[in-house]
Amino acid sequence: MKPTFKQVTKTRYVEQIAQLAEEIFVQHYTKLTPKVARALAQTYQSDLLTDEQIHSGAINYFLVYLGSEAVGYFALDLSPAGAVCLSRLFLLEKARGQGIGRSVVSYAQKLAEGDGRSRLYLKVWAKDLKAEEFCKKCRFRKSEVVPTEVLPGVTLDLATWEKLWR
């Protein structure tokens, strides 16, 4: 089944992203405790923060659907000059490995190209081997790794992966 994307503008969908984030972060960040993973979701993907980001005009959120079921979300940060940052891409475990992420990357690249931008990039946890494999499959190249404090006392190495064209 081919995924569809719905741009998030209404409060009920913003709340749905926050709920999905808690579930996905616990599934995804398995090297962290579920409590820390939930804290990450509440810190970086609360409904208030997501709503604020949407209304800033620089970040657009999208829900990812398979049929009528929301199975994940992504966000595109349009503020970097000449680039688009795929600032979020999270899928429920059951939706992974079906080509949905590659569809999101293709969609983001088409939007970037249509807007005259020549770079698409994303940042992932450097120790996430599945994310690294995904980036390589999508023909991104690693450009840097930076230690980043994501919560007080919790530092993760974040790798930037980029695609350039033109």
Side-chain angles (χ1 to χ4, degrees):
M1 183 178 302
K2 188 175 178 181
T4 56
F5 313 126
K6 177 180 177 59
Q7 188 168 356
V8 174
T9 56
K10 296 183 179 175
T11 303
R12 68 180 169 168
Y13 298 117
V14 170
E15 291 169 351
Q16 190 173 10
I17 285 175
Q19 292 167 354
L20 275 168
E22 283 201 33
E23 184 177 351
I24 292 168
F25 278 38
V26 169
Q27 290 176 352
H28 182 72
Y29 293 108
T30 57
K31 295 197 187 296
L32 303 175
T33 66
K35 182 178 178 179
V36 171
R38 274 193 284 291
L40 273 175
Q42 291 163 0
T43 299
Y44 290 102
Q45 208 64 78
S46 71
D47 54 352
L48 294 175
L49 179 62
T50 301
D51 192 55
E52 199 175 281
Q53 290 175 334
I54 290 169
H55 286 91
S56 76
I59 299 180
N60 295 312
Y61 277 87
F62 298 82
L63 281 165
V64 177
Y65 287 90
L66 278 181
S68 61
E69 182 185 5
V71 295
Y73 65 95
F74 66 95
L76 300 176
D77 182 345
L78 308 174
S79 63
V84 170
C85 177
L86 183 55
S87 66
R88 308 271 194 276
L89 174 51
F90 290 102
L91 299 171
L92 290 169
E93 186 69 39
K94 67 182 180 182
R96 294 184 195 149
Q98 299 179 40
I100 297 169
R102 289 189 302 276
S103 293
V104 169
V105 168
S106 176
Y107 179 77
Q109 185 172 344
K110 284 178 186 169
L111 286 176
E113 288 173 346
D115 200 25
R117 298 166 191 245
S118 60
R119 179 175 176 244
L120 175 66
Y121 71 95
L122 62 120
K123 295 183 180 196
V124 300
W125 185 23
K127 292 184 180 183
D128 186 339
L129 298 178
K130 287 183 181 180
E132 182 174 312
E133 182 181 323
F134 168 75
C135 290
K136 287 177 181 177
K137 279 183 184 176
C138 292
R139 300 187 177 203
F140 283 85
R141 69 174 180 84
K142 190 186 292 188
S143 64
E144 68 178 350
V145 177
V146 177
T148 306
E149 187 173 41
V150 294
L151 290 172
V154 178
T155 300
L156 297 178
D157 289 335
L158 296 181
T160 300
W161 291 80
E162 64 183 1
K163 280 182 103 164
L164 303 165
W165 52 91
R166 279 195 256 176

